[in-house]
């Protein structure tokens, strides 16, 4: 499979420019970061060195200096005017950003035309290093989970298959064998993401509790549940503060988040009951699904799968497009509860989105929200509104233009 994602063109163009910034390609596991870089280096004439830090001792921060110096020496020996150095899984090394900054600055001072691309899995770990040590030295290229359009173009997935099996390219060829597909998701994607990325991100005192939180949270995707009630379903001892911090780490690893309620008051947002949302619907299906055939014919359950797929699509674009995702739920004067599935906010502009697929045929949430907050736009996705196929194929940024 040699599918070209749009970020390929961005990275290729920046590498071919004169040396100005480090290029940092960041995204969750198994979305094709390494594949994309290899596609780029094969398409350009620039000589290159590719190094992978995955098996390097995390305390061996001098490893970066050694591979960097090897690239410089190769340039001198071959009489090259420029070269590209790619370091994959850079976040595995302690103090990586300080070493990268030192080497990059040294090349800049001495006029060494060594261009550099860094790849990493954990958003939080990369952001810490970039903001603390490399401010002003880099450009960020985000590579998110695969969209419906990409999975359809690359693997021929139907809309229903994408809603159910999500957007992991490595798992696409396994969907006809659901038992094997589910095992791949759990063992090859989730286990290293939690067991490695999450544990490297912060000090996790109760790894088993985080794993339980993740599995339960995935099963509640597109549903609201307080952390207090969730705590009652977990076997390991913990408290709400611990769960909230673990949920934040899972969010930074682009696995699972807890959407906050939209409100004008920041305190009300922070104290709201979270609405759980997976970043990729494969995570919901792997932990909650029975089978594609059974779940597709269960109208109530399928409605939640659809809503979760829309939420995952929004999260995938939120970072790049610069908007925030919330939900809204409020009781009116007659104590009737009104809901809106997703609220997007960008520079003060608000968009309200309700998802309908048979689970809810009537809902007064959109007009109630519009009367209270006067959003820029409000609309339905699914039955009686924008088609699911059109919405899941769309670039959400155009909604704010």
């Amino acid at each position: 499979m040699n599918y070209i994602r749009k970020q390929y063109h961005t990275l290729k163009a920046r590498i071919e420019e004169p040396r100005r910034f480090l290029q940092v390609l960041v995204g969750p596991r198994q979305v094709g970061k390494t594949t994309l870089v290899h596609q780029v280096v094969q398409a350009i004439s620039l000589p290159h060195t590719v190094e992978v830090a995955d098996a390097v001792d995390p305390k061996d921060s001098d490893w970066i200096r050694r591979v960097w110096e090897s690239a410089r020496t190769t340039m001198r020996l071959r009489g090259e005017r420029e070269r590209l150095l790619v370091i994959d899984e850079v976040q595995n090394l302690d103090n990586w950003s300080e070493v990268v900054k030192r080497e990059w600055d040294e090349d800049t001072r001495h006029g060494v035309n060594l261009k550099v691309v860094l790849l990493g899995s954990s958003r939080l770990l990369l952001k810490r290093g970039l903001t603390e040590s490399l401010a002003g030295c880099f450009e960020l290229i985000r590579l998110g989970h695969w969209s419906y359009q990409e999975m359809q173009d690359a693997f021929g997935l139907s809309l229903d298959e994408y809603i159910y099996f999500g957007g992991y390219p490595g798992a696409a060829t396994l969907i006809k064998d659901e038992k094997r597909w589910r095992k791949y998701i759990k063992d090859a994607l989730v286990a290293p993401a939690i067991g490695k990325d999450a544990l490297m991100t912060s000090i996790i005192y109760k790894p088993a509790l985080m794993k339980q939180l993740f599995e339960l949270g995935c099963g509640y995707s597109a549903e609201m549940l307080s952390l207090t009630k969730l705590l009652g379903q977990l076997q390991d001892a913990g408290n709400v503060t611990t769960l909230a911090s673990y949920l934040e780490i899972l969010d930074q690893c682009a696995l699972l988040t807890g959407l906050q309620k939209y409100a004008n008051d920041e305190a009300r947002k922070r104290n709201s009951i979270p609405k759980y949302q997976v970043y990729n619907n494969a995570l919901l299906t792997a932990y909650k699904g029975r089978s594609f055939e059974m779940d597709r014919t269960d109208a109530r359950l399928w409605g939640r799968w659809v809503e979760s797929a829309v939420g995952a699509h929004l999260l995938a674009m939120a970072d790049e497009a610069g908007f925030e995702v919330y939900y809204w739920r409020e009781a009116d004067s007659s104590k009737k509860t009104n809901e809106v599935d997703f609220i997007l906010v960008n520079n003060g502009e608000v968009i309200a989105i309700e998802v309908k697929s048979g689970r809810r045929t009537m809902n007064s949430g959109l007009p109630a929200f519009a009367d209270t907050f006067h959003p820029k736009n409000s609309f339905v996705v699914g039955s009686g509104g924008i088609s699911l196929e059109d919405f899941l194929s769309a670039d959400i940024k155009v909604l704010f233009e």
Side-chain angles (χ1 to χ4, degrees), residues 5 14 55 124 133 147 157 181 189 193 241 243 265 267 285 371 390:
R5 302 191 74 183
R14 290 182 182 179
L124 182 57
S133 303
S147 69
L157 260 66
W181 173 87
L189 300 180
T241 302
L243 290 187
D265 183 350
T285 303
D371 288 344
D390 286 343

Side-chain angles (χ1 to χ4, degrees), residues 168 185-186 190 194 210-223 230 247 250 254-257 276-289 304-305 308:
Y168 281 118
I185 295 295
K186 292 181 178 181
V190 172
I194 293 181
M210 171 175 274
K211 184 173 183 293
Q212 289 179 54
L213 170 64
F214 171 74
E215 293 177 0
L216 269 175
C218 285
Y220 279 106
S221 188
E223 292 188 336
L230 190 66
L247 188 58
L250 292 170
L255 292 170
L256 174 73
T257 192
Y276 299 94
Q277 176 61 58
V278 293
Y279 274 82
N280 192 313
N281 245 28
L283 302 174
L284 166 60
T285 303
Y287 289 97
K288 194 70 173 180
R304 186 155 71 88
W305 256 249
S308 180

